[in-house]
Amino acid sequence: MNFLHHLLEKQRPLFEKGGKFERFYYVFEAAETFMFTPPSTTPARGTQIRDAIDLKRMMMTVVVAMLPCLIYGMWNAGHQHYLAIGQEADFMTKFMLGLKHTLPIILVAYAAGGLVETVFAVMRKHPINEGFLVTGMLIPLVMPITIPLWQVAVATIFAVLVAKEVFGGTGMNILNVALTARAFLYFAYPTDISGSVWTLLDGASTVDGYSGATALAIIAETSTAQGSGFTPGAAVAALNGTSWAPGLFSFENLFMGAIPGSIGETSTLMCLIGAAILIATGVGSWKIIVSVFAGAYLTGLLVNAVAVNAYMDLPAHYHLVIGGLAFGAVFMATDPVSAAHTETGKWIYGFFIGFFTVIIRVFNPAYPEGIMLAILLMNVFAPLIDYYVVQANKNRRLSRATV
């Protein structure tokens, strides 16, 4: 490795001011600092303010927190495949099948987003930011395993360009970049990101009675079919009535996540492990995570009390384990850029994400997964929440002031 480091250092004059490739200096710097310690570092002696964490370490911590979801998602992709075709397979066979189809999605997301980041770094003459380490991982985790790779590339480029770079780059974006990519595909290519796209079949024949629907889709269909004349418990009965895989949508299995869904968002347990890592390292806000779950649960209880369709009658605790609520609460809502920054604001911001998630689910069966739209909506309102929290603090202090 020292040989490679020395080789890179010999090329440095070509990229520094006055060099032949001066305009590509930050591309060179990004490549070198990704692998090696930069040549100029903080000296051992002197007066410095030191912190154990910087942006690069923070981003890597989030990536590490997502690994349980990623590894479980790879296994689950293979598990759903063999479940659908009615064959037995061991853990590694399922995992390797999921790895084979997930890895290209990750590579395409990083390549497409990295290209946009590099172009803007060269144009604006600023370092390539580490923020895309997280976004490049988040995007594949909220995609179905069957998503065409070209759509991943188009959505990633669109999201990085429109949701981040036009606002000035990392730290300036209003909307969550990964959710913007998913929203783009949701509205531009709906047939490839909704419906029976969650199970990898690879042309194999499925078992009798197979359905590729998710738990949310089954509940939405039940609610639409029964209308206002629903029977109590119809939503849970519909989940438990899946014939091709008994117990597939039991509450325990919904919590574990061995169900059809996006690659990384099916397991509430893995999301909670990721939450523990983020909270223990001080990277993620526990207030936002807790308030999202609290908002969804309390809203679930509220709609239970006035239920007029099967979806509203769904027990409140089911809302916490179905769909992408847990993944969104842990990895999307806590985005330090697009979330609220004031401490009181974080409670309000998270609560309304949970609130709107359930409201969108139960009142609009066309969008059975509400967490995506709820977070994007609250991203827009986060600065307003912070503004009023700060103003309230100012007014409270002024009211106590005596002159």
Side-chain angles (χ1 to χ4, degrees):
M1 294 302 288
N2 285 335
F3 167 76
L4 181 58
H5 195 191
H6 291 319
L7 184 63
L8 282 173
E9 279 301 302
K10 286 183 180 178
Q11 312 307 315
R12 175 176 288 278
L14 294 174
F15 294 90
E16 291 181 330
K17 190 171 183 180
K20 186 177 181 180
F21 304 114
E22 176 186 348
R23 64 183 307 177
F24 299 109
Y25 172 75
Y26 290 111
V27 178
F28 170 82
E29 184 201 43
E32 185 183 36
T33 57
F34 184 78
M35 296 181 287
F36 304 105
T37 303
S40 59
T41 58
T42 304
R45 294 183 177 181
T47 304
Q48 299 103 10
I49 298 175
R50 293 175 182 271
D51 197 323
I53 194 164
D54 58 10
L55 182 59
K56 187 177 293 184
R57 192 165 299 177
M58 179 184 289
M59 294 297 111
M60 286 308 300
T61 302
V62 181
V63 172
V64 170
M66 284 190 286
L67 288 180
C69 290
L70 174 64
I71 294 171
Y72 187 89
M74 289 177 176
W75 170 82
N76 187 47
H79 176 69
Q80 294 304 318
H81 169 79
Y82 286 105
L83 192 66
I85 65 176
Q87 294 183 10
E88 296 289 335
D90 58 27
F91 176 88
M92 283 307 297
T93 303
K94 294 175 181 177
F95 177 79
M96 293 306 294
L97 180 64
L99 175 66
K100 174 185 170 185
H101 289 270
T102 304
L103 192 57
I105 299 175
I106 296 173
L107 293 177
V108 168
Y110 272 120
L115 176 64
V116 179
E117 293 268 357
T118 302
V119 169
F120 274 85
V122 171
M123 289 171 56
R124 291 174 173 165
K125 294 182 171 49
H126 65 65
I128 296 176
N129 211 288
E130 297 86 355
F132 195 72
L133 287 173
V134 172
T135 305
M137 183 66 79
L138 280 173
I139 290 175
L141 291 181
V142 296
M143 296 289 167
I145 190 70
T146 58
I147 191 76
L149 293 179
W150 69 268
Q151 289 188 14
V152 177
V154 171
T156 303
I157 292 172
F158 174 86
V160 175
L161 192 62
V162 174
K164 187 164 78 171
E165 296 300 342
V166 295
F167 291 101
T170 298
M172 305 296 288
N173 50 297
I174 297 174
L175 301 175
N176 182 287
V177 180
L179 279 182
T180 302
R182 182 179 164 112
F184 171 79
L185 291 179
Y186 198 82
F187 293 108
Y189 306 100
T191 56
D192 290 309
I193 201 167
S194 62
S196 300
V197 299
W198 310 105
T199 302
L200 177 69
L201 296 177
D202 267 351
S205 298
T206 60
V207 297
D208 292 338
Y210 163 77
S211 169
T214 63
L216 288 168
I218 291 172
I219 299 169
E221 289 171 4
T222 303
S223 181
T224 302
Q226 295 198 346
S228 57
F230 75 100
T231 55
V236 176
L239 289 176
N240 293 327
T242 306
S243 59
W244 66 276
L248 180 65
F249 293 119
S250 66
F251 184 81
E252 294 76 13
N253 207 41
L254 289 169
F255 177 76
M256 293 301 296
I259 54 175
S262 294
I263 295 171
E265 69 175 18
T266 62
S267 176
T268 303
L269 176 62
M270 296 301 125
C271 292
L272 293 179
I273 293 173
I277 296 173
L278 293 180
I279 293 171
T281 54
V283 172
S285 169
W286 67 270
K287 294 177 182 177
I288 292 178
I289 296 172
V290 170
S291 58
V292 171
F293 281 109
Y297 184 72
L298 294 176
T299 308
L301 291 177
L302 177 64
V303 296
N304 283 168
V306 294
V308 293
N309 63 44
Y311 217 146
M312 295 176 71
D313 186 56
L314 182 72
H317 57 283
Y318 272 79
H319 282 290
L320 308 183
V321 297
I322 59 176
L325 186 127
F327 188 85
V330 175
F331 297 109
M332 300 292 193
T334 56
D335 178 2
V337 177
S338 55
H341 294 92
T342 55
E343 296 307 310
T344 303
K346 289 176 182 175
W347 287 107
I348 300 170
Y349 171 80
F351 180 86
F352 276 103
I353 287 176
F355 171 80
F356 282 120
T357 298
V358 175
I359 293 298
I360 293 170
R361 284 178 176 179
V362 302
F363 285 113
N364 193 345
Y367 297 97
E369 176 51 277
I371 186 73
M372 175 184 74
L373 296 177
I375 293 178
L376 289 175
L377 177 65
M378 292 311 298
N379 282 167
V380 175
F381 282 99
L384 190 64
I385 293 172
D386 283 338
Y387 172 79
Y388 280 109
V389 169
V390 171
Q391 284 300 118
N393 284 337
K394 286 182 178 177
N395 293 338
R396 191 161 50 246
R397 286 169 179 265
L398 286 173
S399 67
R400 293 200 299 260
T402 56
V403 179

